[in-house]
């Protein structure tokens, strides 16, 4: 495994063809935006490339692959984008590809995915910022769909340019993309101003179960399978709920516990002030960023909560 910079990754990609790009499961705007921008760039260079995700991708992202030629080929070079751990590839892709990854492009400091080459920039707000540098290095034309892909990655990973990971670089790239024709307003409207009715129903149910701990320093929202069923929401619609607990005044650690089908819980951890979310999640076997991280907790709920709160208490005090 060799750590390299993005320009070196750009050169390596130029020397290869039949490139398969893998996203993480439960895909978000950054992994998909990075993957499709890279795929579009490779197509412009006359290379064969395709994106593969183990899960169905929500229709909200369909603008990313609109007009992308579907190419069939035997993969010769495998790239992952925004994938911090092999398990996040999803069971199917993990089994098929985890020992065959050639290039791993990511911004999670906790990244431990095995690959021949790794581009890891933990100061990048989104993997899409790194992909942008690769496209610039190639000198390909950043057309509107590519600009939309990269813009979505940065905007969604920075909570619409509000989170503390947002940098001048994020804004500079966004400015370039807007000049290139990115539909920034529509994208922000879709991802930050519009709630599906199903999501609104889920949010209402989940907020009923918001609980504060440690004098209000920790807020926990639980989303059960029953709530998903009652509202008709999918797991991907839970993502937005993760931002809510931290929004409450005085909260240092906001956690959303989402019950999975097998009864375990996925914890999305968001922090304010001094608490490092990646460290907190790391103590529970997960990882992520300083302000946003995640881990998996065994059920039942009481046990998951007990384990979570024990570690939160340590981190808060
Ligand atoms: Mn990301």
């Amino acid at each position: 495994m060799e750590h390299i910079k993005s320009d070196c990754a750009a050169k390596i990609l130029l020397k290869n063809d039949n490139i398969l790009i893998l996203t993480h499961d439960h895909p978000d705007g950054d992994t998909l935006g990075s993957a499709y921008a890279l795929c579009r760039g490779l197509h412009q260079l006359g290379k064969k490339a395709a994106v593969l995700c183990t899960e169905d991708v929500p229709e909200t992202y369909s603008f990313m692959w609109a007009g992308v030629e579907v190419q069939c080929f035997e993969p010769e070079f495998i790239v992952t984008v925004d994938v911090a751990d092999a398990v996040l590839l999803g069971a199917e892709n993990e089994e098929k590809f985890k020992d065959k990854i050639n290039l791993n492009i990511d911004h999670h400091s906790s990244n431990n995915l095995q690959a021949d080459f790794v581009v890891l920039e933990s100061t990048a707000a989104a993997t899409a910022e790194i992909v942008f540098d690769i496209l610039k290095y190639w000198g390909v034309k950043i057309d509107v769909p590519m600009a939309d892909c990269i813009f979505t990655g940065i905007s969604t990973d920075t909570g619409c340019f509000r989170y503390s990971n947002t940098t001048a670089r994020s804004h500079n790239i966004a400015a370039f993309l807007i000049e290139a024709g990115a539909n920034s307003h529509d994208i922000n409207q879709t991802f930050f101003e519009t709630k599906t009715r199903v999501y609104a129903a889920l949010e209402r149910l989940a907020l009923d179960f918001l609980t504060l701990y440690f004098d209000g320093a920790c807020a926990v929202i639980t989303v059960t399978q029953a709530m998903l069923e009652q509202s008709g929401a999918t797991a991907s619609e839970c993502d937005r709920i993760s931002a809510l607990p931290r929004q409450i005044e005085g909260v240092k650690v906001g956690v959303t516990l989402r019950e999975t089908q097998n009864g375990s819980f996925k914890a999305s951890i968001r922090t304010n002030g001094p608490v490092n979310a990646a460290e907190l999640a790391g103590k529970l076997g997960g990882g992520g960023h300083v302000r946003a991280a995640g881990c998996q907790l065994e059920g039942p709920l009481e046990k998951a909560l007990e384990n979570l709160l024990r570690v939160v208490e340590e981190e808060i005090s």
Side-chain angles (χ1 to χ4, degrees), residues 237-253:
E237 276 165 310
C238 284
D239 289 350
R240 283 176 79 161
I241 288 194
S242 312
L244 302 180
R246 184 178 59 180
Q247 290 172 349
I248 298 164
E249 188 181 20
V251 167
K252 291 181 188 156
V253 180

Side-chain angles (χ1 to χ4, degrees), residues 249-261:
E249 188 181 20
V251 167
K252 291 181 188 156
V253 180
V255 183
T256 304
L257 292 175
R258 175 169 62 83
E259 187 183 16
T260 65
Q261 273 166 354

Side-chain angles (χ1 to χ4, degrees), residues 30 82 107-108 127 157:
D30 189 30
D82 204 42
H107 67 134
H108 296 88
T127 299
D157 261 25

Side-chain angles (χ1 to χ4, degrees), residues 1-3 24 80-89 101 103-122 127 130 278 286-289:
M1 208 159 85
E2 191 186 334
H3 280 266
H24 60 73
T80 60
V81 282
D82 204 42
V83 183
D85 192 296
V87 75
L88 300 173
L89 288 167
I101 299 161
L103 175 61
N104 158 6
I105 305 172
D106 191 26
H107 67 134
H108 296 88
S109 54
S110 61
N111 188 298
N112 62 5
L113 185 68
Q114 294 300 308
D116 299 339
F117 300 101
V118 183
V119 182
L120 183 56
E121 286 184 33
S122 56
T127 299
I130 309 167
H289 305 285

Side-chain angles (χ1 to χ4, degrees), residues 267 269 279-286 294-297 304 307-312:
I269 301 163
E279 261 173 39
L280 202 163
K283 287 187 177 175
L284 293 162
C295 63
Q296 187 101 21
L297 296 164
N307 282 332
L308 171 77
L309 292 173
R310 181 173 38 80
V311 174
V312 170

Side-chain angles (χ1 to χ4, degrees), residues 69 102 112 123 160 171 196 203 212 266 302 312 314 316:
E69 189 193 338
N102 302 102
N112 62 5
T123 57
C160 207
H171 284 286
T196 61
E203 188 180 287
L212 296 176
K266 279 202 165 172
E302 298 69 39
V312 170
E314 283 170 26
I316 287 177

